[in-house]
């Protein structure tokens, strides 16, 4: 892109603050900014900004509770049969795990990728290493190194790769297949202007965990799955250290019930817990995120006194490979997050805000659920499957997760 094209583009979209910033850059920086501007979808950015003005109304939808199978109370014979079916699938190499580790982890405040965080065990194992242990245990049990694919963001990709390299892949090199990056979207200020970061470039952020489908397709991972005969893909976040990454029951349950996707859940600890809830929205499987749940629905109870929407979505979902390409065909809807972000003003000064001043746009994996013919829900006891590390302290912190982890492994 030439300077003239750059000037025309940014002016016509009301982004002329970029011109002053351009002038402040050295030659290398100028070239980088021109390249970036030629790639940024300005129409798309405008549409994203328009979203920040929309008010979401959930009462327009019919929200009903979802039915779930409780792993605890499932008839023993059926459970054993499912485990047997799932074990067979794992042993014959039909499972892959995709771990979503592209988040920014702003609430935790750890400077590196979240998986590299030491959450305070005596052994000082990091989150990634805790997962390596699970894969190695599965390898012993099933005789297969279950392939592990790690989704990063453009921001933390190199650091993640280097971390594994420096640790010699924790001796699980056979299983750690690929690191692949998800896409990014520009961040906008409250006037819809593209935010500039300290190096003078446009600030972009990972496009949310819903970006996983598109990233699996565009990075050729889905093709790899097909070539390798992988039929089931377990997709989870990096920050739940009790995630059951290699679980024969969820696979067998899906196969036995002819389901193409199953979500693993546990009952919400209390109505205020910050997890999304699985539900049926206008007749289709869905999740209402905690930030988007109305108080009326948050506290609604069934006749028996239980919470109406109690099935917590834990970001642990099993998909049949056959549905991933279809899901990825069409963009998922964007959600707006109002965040604090340092901004470089047109004079090159760094502005550090005290309150949210920037918009980030994300897609959520569960917005794909209504594209599925059916979604199974398999519920576990929370102490068996859920110990998230989200915040630096308090709920869902390293301290709470560590306690749950130690209790689960009898440490
Ligand atoms: P969260 O929504 O909790 O976000 O991600 P986060 O980025 O880790 O933390 P905060 O909100 O900035 O404090 C849940 C899971 O989804 C992954 C995260 O890495 C985490 O495992 N994720 C999230 C992605 O892989 N990409 C994204 O764009 C967002």
């Amino acid at each position: 892109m030439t300077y003239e094209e750059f000037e025309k583009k940014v002016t016509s979209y009301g982004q002329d603050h970029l011109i002053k910033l351009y002038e402040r850059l050295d030659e290398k920086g100028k070239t980088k900014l021109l390249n970036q501007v030629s790639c940024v979808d300005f129409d798309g950015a405008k549409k994203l900004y328009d979203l920040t003005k929309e008010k979401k109304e959930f009462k327009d939808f019919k929200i009903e509770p979802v039915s779930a199978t409780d792993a605890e109370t499932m008839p023993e014979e059926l459970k054993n049969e499912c485990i047997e079916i799932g074990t067979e699938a794992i042993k014959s190499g039909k499972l892959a795990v995709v771990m979503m580790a592209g988040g920014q982890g702003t609430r935790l405040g750890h400077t590196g990728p979240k998986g590299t965080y030491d959450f305070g065990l005596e052994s000082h194992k990091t989150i990634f290493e805790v997962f390596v242990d699970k894969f190695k245990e599965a390898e012993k049990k099933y005789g297969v190194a279950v392939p592990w694919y790690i989704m990063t963001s453009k921001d933390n990709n190199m650091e993640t790769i280097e971390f594994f390299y420096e640790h010699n892949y924790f001796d699980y090199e056979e299983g750690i297949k690929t690191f692949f990056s998800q896409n990014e979207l520009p961040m906008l200020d409250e006037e819809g202007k593209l935010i500039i970061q300290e190096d003078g470039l446009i600030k972009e952020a990972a496009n949310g965990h819903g970006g996983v489908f598109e990233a699996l397709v565009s990075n050729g991972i889905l093709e790899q799955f097909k070539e390798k005969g992988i039929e089931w893909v377990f997709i989870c976040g990096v920050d739940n250290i009790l995630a059951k990454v290699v679980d024969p029951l969820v696979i067998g349950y899906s196969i036995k019930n002819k389901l193409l996707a199953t979500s693993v859940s546990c009952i919400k600890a209390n109505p205020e817990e910050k997890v999304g809830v699985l539900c049926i929205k206008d007749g289709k499987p869905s999740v209402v995120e905690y930030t988007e749940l109305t108080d009326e629905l948050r506290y609604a109870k069934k006749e028996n006194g239980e919470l109406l929407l109690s099935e917590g979505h834990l970001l642990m979902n099993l998909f049949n490979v056959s549905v991933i390409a279809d899901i990825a065909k069409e963009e998922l809807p964007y959600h707006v997050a109002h965040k604090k972000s340092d901004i470089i003003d047109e004079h090159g000064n760094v502005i550090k805000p005290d309150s949210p001043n920037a918009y980030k746009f994300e897609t959520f994996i569960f917005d794909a659920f209504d594209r599925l013919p059916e979604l199974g829900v398999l519920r576990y006891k929370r102490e068996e499957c859920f110990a998230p590390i989200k915040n630096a302290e308090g709920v869902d912190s390293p301290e709470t997760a560590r306690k749950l982890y130690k209790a689960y492994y009898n440490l």
Side-chain angles (χ1 to χ4, degrees):
M1 172 179 258
T2 62
Y3 176 77
E4 287 68 34
E5 286 166 335
F6 160 79
E7 195 179 25
K8 194 167 159 218
K9 186 169 178 184
V10 299
T11 314
S12 64
Y13 283 94
Q15 301 286 354
D16 17 354
H17 63 300
L18 296 180
I19 298 174
K20 282 213 179 99
L21 285 153
Y22 172 88
E23 284 157 8
R24 306 181 57 81
L25 293 172
D26 60 16
E27 284 316 305
K28 215 167 148 193
K30 283 179 176 155
T31 311
K32 276 192 185 164
L33 185 61
L34 291 191
N35 282 340
Q36 206 185 12
V37 167
S38 73
C39 296
V40 169
D41 173 4
F42 278 48
D43 280 322
K46 191 179 167 313
K47 279 195 199 129
L48 291 175
Y49 181 62
D50 292 344
L51 274 183
T52 66
K53 306 286 162 212
E54 277 176 20
K55 183 112 190 80
K56 284 214 167 156
E57 278 296 343
F58 281 96
K59 28 183 190 309
D60 296 347
F61 299 111
K62 187 172 177 213
I63 307 270
E64 295 166 292
V66 72
S67 61
T69 300
D70 195 320
E72 193 68 13
T73 55
M74 212 173 160
E76 205 55 31
E77 207 179 309
L78 176 63
K79 189 169 173 178
N80 289 338
E81 188 191 343
C82 289
I83 291 177
E84 214 175 287
I85 297 171
T87 301
E88 191 43 46
I90 297 168
K91 283 187 170 169
S92 46
K94 291 187 177 149
L95 172 71
V97 174
V98 171
M99 185 165 285
M100 300 180 295
Q104 290 177 309
T106 36
R107 285 169 289 171
L108 180 63
H110 170 57
T111 46
K114 217 189 233 185
T116 66
Y117 182 69
D118 165 0
F119 60 99
L121 291 177
E122 280 75 16
S123 62
H124 293 290
K125 280 185 180 167
T126 57
I127 297 181
F128 278 138
E129 203 174 349
V130 157
F131 281 107
V132 172
D133 288 349
K134 293 179 202 247
F135 282 105
K136 284 186 180 165
E137 198 189 307
E139 188 177 13
K140 263 196 214 138
K141 196 162 173 188
Y142 305 111
V144 170
V146 171
W148 182 17
Y149 294 78
I150 298 174
M151 182 172 84
T152 61
S153 65
K154 294 197 170 112
D155 240 15
N156 70 18
N157 185 54
M158 270 325 286
E159 225 180 313
T160 307
I161 293 174
E162 275 164 20
F163 179 78
F164 276 91
Y165 180 76
E166 276 160 19
H167 290 89
N168 216 3
Y169 300 89
F170 300 98
D171 294 326
Y172 192 64
E173 201 167 354
E174 204 194 329
I176 300 165
K177 288 295 168 209
T178 308
F179 301 88
F180 64 103
S181 291
Q182 63 182 117
N183 267 336
E184 294 189 313
L185 289 168
M187 285 180 71
L188 301 174
D189 73 7
E190 288 171 334
E191 267 83 53
K193 301 241 186 282
L194 292 161
I195 291 178
I196 302 299
Q197 56 194 26
E198 279 194 52
D199 60 4
L201 295 178
I202 295 167
K203 185 160 188 166
E204 297 185 273
N207 61 354
H209 43 65
V212 67
F213 301 107
E214 174 204 13
L216 285 172
V217 174
S218 62
N219 288 286
I221 313 281
L222 188 62
E223 270 317 299
Q224 282 186 32
F225 289 161
K226 289 180 184 161
E227 281 161 19
K228 290 178 197 292
I230 287 164
E231 289 179 11
W232 296 97
V233 186
F234 186 74
I235 308 184
C236 64
V238 69
D239 53 6
N240 170 15
I241 52 171
L242 285 187
K244 290 176 178 289
V245 279
V246 184
D247 176 18
L249 180 57
V250 71
I251 305 170
Y253 172 79
S254 306
I255 297 174
K256 170 91 183 150
N257 292 293
K258 300 193 169 44
L259 293 159
L260 295 176
T262 295
S263 191
V264 172
S265 73
C266 75
I267 296 289
K268 265 178 92 168
N270 54 61
E272 290 85 22
E273 188 182 11
K274 293 184 171 175
V275 289
V277 279
L278 287 148
C279 64
I280 301 292
K281 186 163 116 186
D282 280 352
K284 300 220 163 120
S286 186
V287 166
V288 184
E289 187 54 326
Y290 67 89
T291 47
E292 295 175 346
L293 197 62
T294 59
D295 273 353
E296 197 188 330
L297 277 173
R298 193 185 311 279
Y299 297 105
K301 298 228 166 118
K302 295 183 197 160
E303 272 175 12
N304 64 5
E306 288 172 3
L307 274 185
L308 182 73
L309 299 176
S310 58
E311 223 61 64
H313 174 254
L314 312 178
L315 212 57
M316 287 194 271
N317 298 295
L318 181 77
F319 293 90
N320 189 278
V321 164
S322 64
V323 294
I324 294 178
D326 277 347
I327 291 174
K329 268 187 201 143
E330 221 186 296
E331 255 189 354
L332 291 171
Y334 291 101
H335 298 253
V336 182
H338 201 197
K339 299 232 167 185
K340 279 203 274 185
S341 167
D342 289 357
I343 287 185
I344 305 293
D345 71 10
E346 21 189 280
H347 311 291
N349 303 314
V350 184
I351 312 286
K352 291 199 177 282
D354 297 324
S355 54
N357 61 333
Y359 293 116
K360 184 178 171 216
F361 304 91
E362 292 183 301
T363 54
F364 295 155
I365 193 167
F366 46 75
D367 280 326
F369 291 170
D370 64 7
R371 299 178 183 181
L372 298 164
E374 209 183 338
L375 176 75
V377 179
L378 181 65
R379 181 199 302 142
Y380 281 106
K381 286 199 285 190
R382 71 189 292 127
E383 58 269 31
E384 261 187 62
C385 68
F386 196 45
I389 300 182
K390 298 281 180 192
N391 305 306
E393 44 196 43
V395 279
D396 299 342
S397 64
E399 191 187 344
T400 55
R402 197 167 55 235
K403 274 193 194 139
L404 288 161
Y405 181 87
K406 285 184 163 182
Y408 182 79
Y409 285 102
N410 285 321
L411 296 175

